[in-house]
Structures are given as C-alpha cells and as structure tokens.
Amino acid sequence: MDDDPVSNDSPNPHFEQLLTALAPHAQIRRRLLQLGLGSVVLPFLGLPALAAADRSEIGFRAIAASTEDLVRVPEAYILQVLYAWGDPISNGPAFRSDAGNSAAEQAEQAGMHHDGMHFFPFVSHGQPSSTHGLLCVNHEYTDENLLHPDGGANWSEAKTLKSQNAHGVSVIEIELTSRGKDVRWQLVRPSTYARRITARTPMRIDGPAAGTAAMRTRDDAGGQRVAGTLANCAMGVTPWGTYLTCEEHFNAYFNGLDQPTPTQKRYGIRARSAGYRWHEHDRRFDVASEPNEANRFGWVVEIDPWNPGSEPVKHTALGRFKHEGAMLTLAGDGRVVVYMGDDEAFEYLYKYVSRDRFDAGKPGGGAALLALGTLYVARFAADGRGQWIALQHGQNGLDAAHGFADQADVLIHTRQAADRVGATKMDRPEWVAVHPRTGEVYCSLTNNRQRSAVDPANPRADNSFGHIIRWREGDGQGAAAAATSFAWDIFVLCGDPQHPDPDKRGNIRGDAFASPDGLWFDPDGRLWIATDISGSAVNRGDHERFGNNQLLVADVASGEIRRFLTGPRGCEITGLTASPDGCNLFINVQHPGEVVGGRFAPAKPLTGAVWPASQFPELTGGRSRSATMVIRRQDGGIVGC
C-alpha cells in the first residue's frame, strides 16, 4: 500500500523552501537534524522543550531482531492466538482450510487482514472489567488468491460478494476464563453483541456533505445512505463509547476513467488501476457507471458496538481522504478534537475541533459532536512552530472563485482544499497518539522513498526508514488541544546505526527499527511503536538487519526504545489496545507471508514473499491467516512495566 503513485502535484512548499526566510536559526536547525540531534533543537532556539513531564520506565529486557516464522516476546510473557481470519464471530460456520467458505459464511466470520482495533470493557458496579469486553477489529483488505480456493481465477459475482464480506469490522465478545491452571481468553459464543460490518452494510451519511448533489447516486437519490465501508485501516474511540473505523486506500476499489477528472486524479482513481474487480459485478465501483459513488468513501465511520441493531454513520465533517486513523481527545473546555493523517507520500496532517462540548452526563448526544465543527490542516514552519489552518468555506481562499461552492465541496475535496491553503506536504502521516498526561501529540511518518529534498522535518532524501514527529498545542506549555498553533520537533529518526551511509543511521537510543506505523500510549505513558516495512523491502538491502516487523516501546522522557515483539515472516504488526488494568495487550498480526506487491501468486496460494512461506498461525502448512493475539505476563502484571 505504500507504493501508491503520488497524487499531490500541488505547488505547496516543501520544508526546504521555507528555509530561505528563516536564517540563521533554521540553518542551524537543519544541520542539527542532519546530525541526528532533532530532539534538542527547540530548546536551543529558545522555544519550550517537548520532553514529557513524567518518566515511564520500561520494565522488560529487549529481545533481538528475528527472521523466524514466529511471534517472539520477552521471557516471562505468554502469547495466545485469539481471533484469526475465518473464525466465527458467534455460533457461525467454522473456517475451511481450503478457503471454501461461501460469501454468506464469510459474513459471519472474521474478515481478512486485521488492522486497528479497540477493547471496550463491560462495566460492573461502576468499574470497567479487564476480563470481559467487546473487541472491535478492522479488516483492511483482501487477498483474493488466499480468499478463494482457486484464487482470482474465474472471477464471479459470488467471489465479489465474498470479498466484500471479508472487509469492514468485526465486533466480538471476549472473556478471560480459567480452568485450573489454563487461563485463556476466548470468544463468547453465542453472543448477542457479535456483529460483522462489511462493504455491503447499510450506513447513514451525516455532516455538511450529506444529501448534496455530489453524494447522490442511482441507488441513493437523496445522498443520505451508502452501502458499506472498506479499506478499514486504523481507528479511534470516543468518550461516549463508540468506535471509529477509518477508510484509507478506497481508490483501489474503483475502476476509473481513461481521462480522469482533476478530483479523481487527485485521489488516485484511474482507469484499470483498481486493485479489485468488484466493478465487474457491482456497478457502484465503476466510475463510468456511477460517477459519485467514490465520493461516498474515504470517510471516518462511527459504530456503536453496544447496540448491534444500530446503523453506522459516515461523518463528512471530518473530511475525505485516505484516513489512517482518528485519534480523539478532549480539549480543556470539553470540545472534541480528532487528529488524522492522510496515508500517502506528500499528503497532510489534519485536526477536527467540534463546535460544541462533550457532556459526560449526556453521552448519548456525543455523535452530534462529529457532525458540527471545523476541520484544520497543518502547516509546519522551519522555526519549530506550526499553524492549524481552517478548511472552512469563505476563509483562506476556499470560495466559489477558487472552485469551492460550499462547505460540502470543501469536505468532499479535502485534499484540494488543503492544497489551496498551503498545507505542508508530509512523509506518509499515519497513526497519531496523544500522551495521556502531557497532551503531547506523536505522529508516525512511515517513509517516503520519493523524497529528493532535505528539510527540517524530513531531514533525509530517499526517506526509506521514516521517523516520528511530535508537537504541543498552543504555546507549547500545556495541552491546549483546540489551539490553532503548536510547537514541534522530531522525536526519533529511524535507521540502521550500522549503515555505511551516515544519513541512514538515524538517532535511535536503543533498538533499531524502520517504518513506524501503529502508535499507542498505555495509561502509564509508554509509547508503543509497531512497524510496517513493506514486503518489497523487509529483510532486503538497506532493511536486512531490521529483521521481521516488530513492536517496540519508547520512554518518551529519555528517548530510550526497546524491542518487545517480533512478528512472523512477511507480516505487519498493528492494532494495539489493552484491558483497562494494562495486564492484557492485544495486537494484530496482518498479512503474514505477504508477497512483493501485496498479493499471493494465483497458482501458488500457499507461497509467500519469503521461503519457506509463513504458515502463521497454525504452522501446519495451511493458508496464512491474519490474527489477533493476546500477550500477558506470567505473573499477571502490567505488560511492558
């Protein structure tokens, strides 16, 4: 997914173009970053330091990098596979190892390629349970050559339906059970909460774009309802107890025009570029047949896991782009703030601020907070300061004279609006995490191998290893999440400290890693970092010494980073969440055995990118399956402590 062609050909400045107006401090800053000293630059320039207020100690011994087809963790930790592709969500059909389950059966089973997820605890006597809860799991995409017995051959309507039913979200009920010395998590079956949301589930559209002409189709003349969600990557969670799933690379599902419109081109929708063949049997995904359907994807979708009969809602106020996630926090005055990255090279970082305030006494009204508010996009300056620029019709050149008829236009064409206001092009902004005590915000910039220029926030050309950027809102002294200015620095430059090229060594204090993706803070303030080196790069060339993708833990006060977990061959580690007591860590192992290009070979569905191919999780020669795992300490203590 990280090899998408660049869609942003706007003239917005890269950071190096800002340097000319900021000498000499910016030149000093640039040199320090090149030397791997980014975290000390802001204090040097007389700006507030961004170090966390509280130290979060890391309490485990780091493990070595690995190329084994296993999940490895430190000693005294226990691993369990909980929920793999094809497992029934309740009392449903069992997984067939030959992939022979029907489309209808797939709609009652775990989807493919687990990604973001969250644990929602049951509450008893006012206390959240750490042994019983609902788990929401995203299913990002499908590999047709694994999904069907004969792969993508003889493509049909039945295969299209099965593929659509393998996307979306699972809601499952799970419980920690004890039988003697055997303590394990298991799915509760049957469960009245168990539910699959797929690419065919009816959903409501809300916010400024709902009902507008660009959202209307032959199937939905009112522009108020849409069938399904897809490309479900990372996620968010609201204080009123709902789940936000994010539509990322939605363009891959649409067969575009030979001569795409500027908007279609800006979002990567082109003829014969669809990674899927849904359009052959579902005209919604053929742009020539249904030109507005693509406008109805690329949104943040809210799901109420506690109400299985509720209808998911697509929130257009949060903008349309390739959403990696939706990190929600509350400003000091109670307004809802949502941070979001657009996961493509040279795309942007966004923030949404609600108009109204969250009232904990009226949690049922929380959803309205995601329908009325202001969407902002980030502009970073080379002096360590930044601005959030409002994407509001009538402001900052977003008006009819520049092609934006109203606020719906601004939101449907969020990328073009961000281009217009001069937002800063970033290196694949992905997950965002907010420190639970300081309010510092961290964002993974996974990589950008197409970068040719060096600048303060992206200090390396051919940025194949990525980095993590962070900022504090307002004057940098407090957690003013709704502020329109911020102070920023680089938390870490990823790299291989043994690399012969100094520019590729990074500045990691601890264990080397590359391509940071998933970010998550535990309640004690430890930053967990999951990596996603692509199948075309893992264990090859510059990435040879990193081993398989991994999970690390950072002490943001000291900058120390330790390796906690290594995954099986060809996988991505993602989907971090935990029980309220911190004693059960849930992670997802996505696409074990992934091949170059992201799909298995049609004639060899069990052969992956590396040899021997990954057999995770069964390790018995069957098809590889993405899966949710649980990690616990043998002594029952807090994971990572």
Side-chain angles (χ1 to χ4, degrees):
M1 293 294 183
D2 60 333
D3 295 318
D4 277 4
V6 173
S7 300
N8 190 354
D9 58 3
S10 74
N12 287 1
H14 295 274
F15 279 102
E16 74 280 358
Q17 294 170 271
L18 300 173
L19 290 173
T20 56
L22 291 163
H25 283 331
Q27 298 293 343
I28 297 172
R29 179 183 179 85
R30 174 176 175 173
R31 180 55 183 155
L32 287 172
L33 283 165
Q34 289 173 327
L35 294 173
L37 302 175
S39 62
V40 303
V41 177
L42 290 181
F44 178 83
L45 296 180
L47 295 174
L50 295 187
D54 299 312
R55 178 177 298 276
S56 300
E57 294 185 358
I58 304 172
F60 61 88
R61 181 175 296 178
I63 66 172
S66 171
T67 59
E68 296 181 87
D69 194 28
L70 297 170
V71 178
R72 298 174 62 254
V73 290
E75 293 182 5
Y77 279 87
I78 303 168
L79 286 166
Q80 178 197 342
V81 175
L82 175 66
Y83 182 60
W85 160 49
D87 286 348
I89 60 172
S90 186
N91 277 2
F95 175 71
R96 290 180 53 175
S97 60
D98 65 352
N101 291 106
S102 67
E105 289 175 327
Q106 176 63 78
E108 299 181 53
Q109 299 172 321
M112 265 193 156
H113 294 131
H114 302 29
D115 208 311
M117 66 178 170
H118 186 75
F119 178 85
F120 291 88
F122 281 87
V123 177
S124 178
H125 304 293
Q127 296 299 316
S129 173
S130 288
T131 60
H132 188 199
L134 302 181
L135 194 67
C136 291
V137 183
N138 283 354
H139 302 294
E140 184 181 10
Y141 67 101
T142 54
D143 184 333
E144 309 306 336
N145 295 316
L146 283 178
L147 185 62
H148 314 287
D150 60 347
N154 305 307
W155 193 251
S156 65
E157 182 179 9
K159 287 187 174 182
T160 299
L161 292 175
K162 185 177 181 182
S163 181
Q164 291 176 341
N165 286 342
H167 283 72
V169 178
S170 288
V171 181
I172 55 176
E173 183 179 353
I174 60 174
E175 189 171 21
L176 185 63
T177 62
S178 177
R179 295 180 181 177
K181 294 184 179 180
D182 185 18
V183 180
R184 297 177 61 81
W185 283 89
Q186 64 180 20
L187 271 68
V188 175
R189 297 185 173 111
S191 170
T192 58
Y193 296 98
R195 181 184 185 190
R196 276 299 320 281
I197 291 95
T198 74
R200 302 183 65 82
T201 301
M203 303 186 175
R204 180 168 61 87
I205 302 169
D206 83 351
T212 59
M215 300 291 277
R216 297 171 189 162
T217 65
R218 279 180 285 176
D219 294 332
D220 176 33
Q224 301 279 357
R225 297 174 63 80
V226 61
T229 182
L230 45 76
N232 304 91
C233 195
M235 37 59 68
V237 60
T238 72
W240 51 92
T242 59
Y243 183 73
L244 304 177
T245 185
C246 299
E247 298 176 336
E248 191 192 40
H249 291 279
F250 67 93
N251 61 301
Y253 297 82
F254 290 89
N255 183 49
L257 305 174
D258 288 328
Q259 295 183 333
T261 67
T263 292
Q264 292 162 359
K265 184 178 179 181
R266 185 66 181 85
Y267 282 89
I269 300 172
R270 297 172 173 85
R272 294 171 294 280
S273 66
Y276 297 85
R277 297 171 63 184
W278 293 3
H279 63 281
E280 295 179 20
H281 297 280
D282 188 340
R283 60 175 171 76
R284 294 188 299 146
F285 297 94
D286 185 4
V287 172
S289 176
E290 192 54 83
N292 284 347
E293 188 70 18
N295 295 337
R296 294 143 64 87
F297 291 87
W299 305 102
V300 173
V301 184
E302 184 175 12
I303 298 167
D304 184 353
W306 300 104
N307 184 358
S310 62
E311 190 173 47
V313 180
K314 294 200 178 187
H315 290 297
T316 64
L318 275 63
R320 175 175 168 262
F321 47 90
K322 295 182 182 180
H323 287 271
E324 176 69 24
M327 177 64 211
L328 192 149
T329 188
L330 292 177
D333 61 3
R335 283 182 289 169
V336 168
V337 177
V338 187
Y339 294 102
M340 300 166 286
D342 186 347
D343 183 11
E344 191 173 291
F346 302 115
E347 291 302 336
Y348 306 124
L349 263 168
Y350 297 88
K351 178 173 82 170
Y352 168 86
V353 181
S354 67
R355 184 193 68 181
D356 301 322
R357 293 163 173 76
F358 173 64
D359 183 349
K362 301 177 181 178
L369 298 174
L370 300 180
L372 293 172
T374 303
L375 184 65
Y376 297 87
V377 68
R379 180 191 292 161
F380 291 76
D383 64 352
R385 301 293 303 175
Q387 289 181 295
W388 292 107
I389 307 168
L391 300 181
Q392 194 69 27
H393 186 256
Q395 300 178 23
N396 303 311
L398 302 178
D399 50 31
H402 296 101
F404 299 95
D406 52 24
Q407 185 61 17
D409 243 6
V410 171
L411 296 168
I412 293 171
H413 307 104
T414 300
R415 281 184 167 182
Q416 294 97 314
D419 295 342
R420 177 67 195 170
V421 302
T424 301
K425 295 180 176 181
M426 305 296 286
D427 282 359
R428 286 190 62 206
E430 296 213 37
W431 289 52
V432 179
V434 177
H435 194 287
R437 298 195 183 109
T438 68
E440 285 180 344
V441 190
Y442 291 68
C443 178
S444 53
L445 301 175
T446 296
N447 54 51
N448 183 1
R449 283 168 285 184
Q450 300 175 78
R451 177 172 290 280
S452 60
V454 174
D455 60 66
N458 301 278
R460 294 173 295 192
D462 181 23
N463 182 18
S464 59
F465 296 149
H467 54 291
I468 299 174
I469 198 166
R470 65 179 171 183
W471 63 91
R472 271 195 179 180
E473 299 282 14
D475 59 8
Q477 299 292 344
T484 56
S485 65
F486 56 90
W488 68 272
D489 76 350
I490 292 176
F491 171 60
V492 64
L493 298 170
C494 303
D496 175 3
Q498 300 180 50
H499 201 285
D501 183 348
D503 287 338
K504 295 186 176 182
R505 293 173 186 167
N507 66 352
I508 300 169
R509 298 178 185 177
D511 295 316
F513 67 101
S515 296
D517 190 344
L519 297 181
W520 175 73
F521 272 108
D522 66 27
D524 292 328
R526 286 177 287 268
L527 179 63
W528 295 73
I529 305 167
T531 71
D532 182 19
I533 302 171
S534 71
S536 61
V538 68
N539 292 318
R540 293 177 173 85
D542 285 345
H543 294 80
E544 183 176 3
R545 277 186 287 269
F546 295 111
N548 299 342
N549 278 304
Q550 55 191 279
L551 178 64
L552 307 103
V553 181
D555 178 338
V556 297
S558 68
E560 180 190 6
I561 299 175
R562 295 186 197 175
R563 186 181 298 108
F564 177 80
L565 175 148
T566 57
R569 298 187 182 107
C571 81
E572 168 189 346
I573 300 299
T574 184
L576 310 169
T577 187
S579 58
D581 62 6
C583 297
N584 305 274
L585 179 69
F586 301 86
I587 67 156
N588 281 325
V589 176
Q590 190 187 94
H591 60 64
E594 180 188 48
V595 301
V596 176
R599 299 292 187 274
F600 280 66
K604 299 179 180 180
L606 305 186
T607 302
V610 291
W611 184 258
S614 176
Q615 298 177 18
F616 178 86
E618 283 88 358
L619 305 179
T620 57
R623 293 171 186 254
S624 62
R625 300 164 67 192
S626 295
T628 299
M629 302 195 72
V630 193
I631 304 168
R632 296 184 293 116
R633 278 173 41 170
Q634 291 178 353
D635 64 4
I638 296 173
V639 177
C641 185

